[in-house]
Amino acid sequence: MLKIGSQEFQSRLLLGTGKYPDFDIQKKAVEVSGTDILTFTVRRMNIFEPSQPNFLEQLDVDKYTLLPNTAGAKNAEEAVRHAKLAKASGLCDMIKVEVIGCDKTLLPDPVETLKATEELIKEGFTVLPYTSDDVVLARRLEELGAHAIMPGASPIGSGQGIINRENLRFIIEQSRVPVIVDAGIGSPSDAAQAMELGADGVLLNTAVSAAEDPVKMAEAMKLAIEAGRLGYEAGRIPKKRYATASSPMEGMSRT
Amino acid sequence: MKLRINGEWLTVPETIHTVGDLLSHFQLDQRVVIVEQNETILEKESRSEIKVQDGDIIEIVQFVGGG
């Protein structure tokens, strides 16, 4: 069970809702992923096209917890404004703080992320900051009262998987709030690896939405995250340099 | 009446008195939208009472797909 703030979730997969080929595929992918938490973002409505379809409005919103992000915000002030706009929908009180500090790498701005997190916690939000894999920054965010820490595995949408396993491991070891590996996951094995390291969850989007078959990939990610978690709980064997036989060495029948 | 809606100055009919009227005018009253008026975010319940005035800066936003 994944517990964030006061809420509990069965699934450890948090799914993004951007860039799917169409709503039908997206609906199926969301369904088979088994996710409980869907991310969204806030953008201007095209007021001259009121009939344009909207994915959120096609969902049974009672079945999912909405996790809006502050993507697009360049500083803490913009992130706080976006969070307040999202909350005013009356549909959610969780917020993924995302303040990008570099357009090329889409890596988060640590100073503004910290500021936004502090402000939103004061405002009573359940705050999940997207951060780099910096160990000290993760600790500082937790000290501010962040409800979960969301370190990136690698740059957003890059599909490079986990670049710095050791940092992630340090973050997981030190954190008393859930650690959700967010961004950069490319394949099911990346997601499983994050879970085997002891992450409490994985947030991904492009790995599913831009896969050749998003629905199949959604299922693969669900299974990988479950397998990774089970493996973590089961406790893997230590690595050794030399072989250890699985079959008994004694009692071999010879002529 | 001239309003700046989502960054664009628009002339809307004088029959529009409230934020609720404005949303109906653009056929957005049944949609999941969030409205900000002159940098104040409005509660959904108050839209039918809050007046719009010439020169108001209105933002109408919605949830879209994102990660």
Side-chain angles (χ1 to χ4, degrees), chain B residues 30-60:
Chain B
Q30 299 303 316
R31 305 297 301 270
V32 179
V33 294
I34 304 130
V35 185
E36 190 189 62
Q37 179 187 34
N38 303 325
E39 299 188 9
T40 301
I41 299 167
L42 306 181
E43 296 290 326
K44 205 176 168 189
E45 299 73 29
S46 63
R47 287 176 191 165
S48 56
E49 290 148 32
I50 290 182
K51 302 267 183 284
V52 284
Q53 287 181 330
D54 193 58
D56 273 358
I57 295 169
I58 308 280
E59 286 285 314
I60 303 174

Side-chain angles (χ1 to χ4, degrees), chain A residues 16-18 39-45 47 50 52 54 56-57 68-69 81 84-86 88-89 96 205, chain B residues 4-8 10 26-28 31-34 36 41-42 44 59-67:
Chain A
T17 57
T39 65
F40 284 91
T41 199
V42 173
R43 288 292 180 270
R44 278 176 169 167
M45 176 96 198
I47 55 169
Q52 62 188 313
N54 179 292
L56 177 73
E57 292 174 1
N69 66 31
R81 177 171 169 264
K84 287 179 177 173
L85 282 169
S89 69
K96 167 179 162 177
N205 184 344
Chain B
R4 204 184 91 175
I5 306 176
N6 289 355
E8 236 181 289
L10 298 171
F26 287 108
Q27 298 172 318
L28 296 172
R31 305 297 301 270
V32 179
V33 294
I34 304 130
E36 190 189 62
I41 299 167
L42 306 181
K44 205 176 168 189
E59 286 285 314
I60 303 174
V61 300
Q62 62 172 346
F63 284 115
V64 300

Side-chain angles (χ1 to χ4, degrees), chain A residues 4-142:
Chain A
I4 304 171
S6 56
Q7 281 180 276
E8 287 187 342
F9 305 97
Q10 289 290 336
S11 170
R12 292 178 181 275
L13 168 59
L14 292 76
L15 195 61
T17 57
K19 301 186 293 185
Y20 282 82
D22 62 57
F23 284 162
D24 273 343
I25 290 175
Q26 183 167 9
K27 265 192 205 166
K28 282 180 199 141
V30 167
E31 216 172 291
V32 303
S33 75
T35 188
D36 294 322
I37 303 176
L38 292 169
T39 65
F40 284 91
T41 199
V42 173
R43 288 292 180 270
R44 278 176 169 167
M45 176 96 198
N46 182 350
I47 55 169
F48 300 110
E49 265 186 70
S51 57
Q52 62 188 313
N54 179 292
F55 183 64
L56 177 73
E57 292 174 1
Q58 300 189 18
L59 272 181
D60 179 359
V61 285
D62 295 332
K63 265 177 75 180
Y64 301 98
T65 293
L66 307 186
L67 174 58
N69 66 31
T70 64
K74 295 279 188 197
N75 54 47
E77 199 185 333
E78 283 183 4
V80 169
R81 177 171 169 264
H82 268 77
K84 287 179 177 173
L85 282 169
K87 198 176 189 177
S89 69
L91 296 172
C92 46
D93 61 4
M94 262 192 193
I95 190 76
K96 167 179 162 177
V97 172
E98 179 176 336
V99 187
I100 299 303
C102 170
D103 290 339
K104 202 169 175 182
T105 60
L106 296 182
L107 287 170
D109 182 320
V111 178
E112 297 300 316
T113 299
L114 215 58
K115 274 194 218 165
T117 299
E118 186 169 27
E119 179 65 24
L120 290 168
I121 286 165
K122 274 190 207 148
E123 297 272 351
F125 285 80
T126 300
V127 186
L128 294 76
Y130 161 62
T131 175
S132 66
D133 56 18
D134 188 282
V135 181
V136 179
L137 181 60
R139 197 185 68 221
R140 295 289 295 267
L141 288 164
E142 183 175 346

Side-chain angles (χ1 to χ4, degrees), chain A residues 159-207:
Chain A
Q160 291 184 50
I162 299 169
I163 288 180
N164 194 335
R165 287 165 59 104
E166 291 315 309
N167 271 23
L168 269 189
R169 214 194 292 268
F170 286 138
I171 291 173
I172 289 163
E173 278 172 15
Q174 77 180 2
S175 297
R176 281 156 300 169
V177 294
V179 175
I180 295 159
V181 174
D182 176 9
I185 298 293
S187 67
S189 63
D190 296 336
Q193 203 176 66
M195 296 308 294
E196 281 184 50
L197 288 174
D200 297 279
V202 169
L203 195 166
L204 53 86
N205 184 344
T206 311

